[in-house]
Amino acid sequence: MADEKKWRPPGDDDEEEEEIDEAAYKTVKDALLFVIEVSPSMLTAPPPTDAKKADTDSPTSAALQCAYALMQQRIISNPNDMMGVLLYGTEKSKFNGEDDASGNPAYPHCYLLTDLDVPAAEDVKALKTLVEDDDEFKDLMVPSKEKVAMANVLFCANQIFTTKAPNFSSRRLFIITDDDDPHTNDKPAKSSAAVRAKDLYDLGVLIELFPISKPDKEFEKRKFYDDIVYNQSPADPEAPAPMSGPTKASSSTDGISLLASLLSNINSKAVARRALFSNIPLELGPGFKISVKGYIIFKRQEPQRSCYVWLSGEKAQIATGVTTRTAEDTARAVDKAEIKKAYKFGGEQIPFTVEEIASLRNFGDPVIRILGFKPMSMLPVWANLRPATFIYPSEDDYVGSTRVFAALHAKLLSSHRIGVAWYIARANAAPVIAALYPSAEHLEPDKGTQTTPP
């Protein structure tokens, strides 16, 4: 795997090759909004059992604990990402202090617990207090007597994303509920909710459903949420569908804690899927190109440092980094214009200009150029030097790329061969010899559900 690019103070840049291979994958900002239902069934704790790890949390409480845990994680790993919590079905209403002309709440029975923003210490404390303080929890979690229209909830979420994260490339809505049919026998309400969901999709918001099954009833997504949740990513409609597919309904049966089940499901989709590169030409022959996008299969989540903190004083302060280059013999400060780059050949320093160094490093534009084909058996295990990149066709630059890519994939699979390619990932990157390895699609024998995409 390539070395990670470490954080440096502003202005401490060098002129070496910009290693943005996987770092750029994480710099895309993400806005995540939890939408949690508050209803009598969501506030009912499971019946007591004799199990050692018996579940004692109500679904709403478990969902808030998940939001609190995820907020703590994102402060460390993604400090620039936004997160918010919206409750619906509550007796109280709150939405940025907005009311309609008659003084009524703009979105009845929708309570914006934490506004969509970069989490601050106050937000974390408020959510922690609500999770741990039973009195405050009971005071706020009072279900409304009226049924909440899902179209109103989705429109409220639309307004939050539009005002708080208008230019974010990744915006996601996590719905946690145990009601698989909120508008039974009400076709106009279902149609209105579907329209609002389509508006969110057109806005670039990906809706994820985290269903909760009741003890005596399984959650049936087809009744309502099949028209609400889209499988494709709105920011990248041509991207492959997620391998995980629909989220399995969480429950507290079989000794599995509802909180643990929800945490597992949410963590599996907490990281947004982003393209590593977009529309790189895949060259099959002279003058024969198609367009592909690349996706990282996995990415280690690590703490992301955005600054240095000085702790030696009475009060912690953000340190400002300053870089100064000095002469070795006189310790005089050296300006950047005085510095020249040179390489040692035959015991003598040979200087190069900036243009000469740039021309030496330039191997051409980013491309995946097929050089030939080899049997799969000739690819040894030790040739895998870094995690693989999943590529998928795109019609943006070359119409017909999907058909050509599908034909190439099918031919490689049937012939048990791999493609040997010349791969330049980005501008000024060193070329590498890569293998185009076709993966076969796998389906479950009984259900026919896709487990591994092609």
Side-chain angles (χ1 to χ4, degrees), residues 348-404:
E348 185 179 355
Q349 296 286 351
I350 309 298
F352 287 85
T353 64
V354 176
E355 292 76 12
E356 289 174 336
I357 293 178
S359 63
L360 289 174
R361 289 179 176 170
N362 185 15
F363 289 90
D365 296 329
V367 69
I368 303 175
R369 181 180 296 116
I370 296 180
L371 304 177
F373 302 93
K374 292 287 185 180
M376 289 184 178
S377 58
M378 294 187 66
L379 182 65
V381 177
W382 54 260
N384 187 16
L385 302 180
R386 64 181 63 185
T389 301
F390 184 82
I391 62 174
Y392 203 78
S394 169
E395 299 284 330
D396 291 346
D397 291 344
Y398 301 97
V399 178
S401 295
T402 303
R403 298 180 64 182
V404 175

Side-chain angles (χ1 to χ4, degrees), residues 151-367:
N152 202 36
V153 175
L154 296 175
F155 185 62
C156 179
N158 190 316
Q159 293 299 306
I160 294 173
F161 280 115
T162 303
T163 55
K164 292 294 182 178
N167 299 320
F168 277 44
S169 58
S170 174
R171 291 177 285 187
R172 294 176 298 156
L173 183 69
F174 283 6
I175 301 177
I176 303 177
T177 179
D178 65 348
D179 189 358
D180 56 6
D181 194 7
H183 299 300
T184 308
N185 301 325
D186 191 347
K187 291 185 178 180
K190 287 184 178 181
S191 177
S192 179
V195 171
R196 294 302 185 189
K198 184 63 168 60
D199 292 341
L200 281 169
Y201 181 84
D202 294 338
L203 188 65
V205 178
L206 177 63
I207 300 177
E208 294 277 8
L209 174 67
F210 296 91
I212 298 176
S213 292
K214 300 178 182 178
D216 56 344
K217 183 176 180 293
E218 283 291 328
F219 193 98
E220 298 183 40
K221 182 182 172 184
R222 59 177 179 82
K223 289 184 176 180
F224 176 77
Y225 283 97
D226 274 348
D227 297 329
I228 303 298
V229 179
Y230 292 78
N231 290 328
Q232 292 83 8
S233 170
D236 190 5
E238 296 179 355
M243 280 184 58
S244 55
T247 304
K248 183 180 179 181
S250 301
S251 65
S252 57
T253 58
D254 301 328
I256 301 176
S257 169
L258 173 62
L259 177 59
S261 178
L262 263 180
L263 273 174
S264 176
N265 288 337
I266 290 176
N267 281 333
S268 66
K269 297 192 176 184
V271 180
R273 181 185 58 194
R274 302 152 183 166
L276 174 63
F277 56 77
S278 297
N279 303 326
I280 279 188
L282 174 60
E283 187 175 317
L284 286 76
F288 185 15
K289 299 178 181 179
I290 62 175
S291 181
V292 295
K293 294 184 179 182
Y295 300 85
I296 292 178
I297 294 180
F298 75 93
K299 171 66 181 175
R300 185 191 301 272
Q301 291 295 293
E302 297 177 345
Q304 184 178 359
R305 175 178 289 175
S306 58
C307 62
Y308 284 117
V309 180
W310 184 61
L311 301 175
S312 299
E314 296 180 359
K315 184 179 179 181
Q317 298 179 2
I318 296 178
T320 303
V322 179
T323 301
T324 303
R325 294 178 173 88
T326 58
E328 185 178 2
D329 51 354
T330 62
R332 178 182 64 87
V334 179
D335 294 333
K336 190 174 182 180
E338 301 179 64
I339 299 174
K340 294 182 178 180
K341 291 194 174 183
Y343 291 92
K344 192 172 183 179
F345 292 100
E348 185 179 355
Q349 296 286 351
I350 309 298
F352 287 85
T353 64
V354 176
E355 292 76 12
E356 289 174 336
I357 293 178
S359 63
L360 289 174
R361 289 179 176 170
N362 185 15
F363 289 90
D365 296 329
V367 69

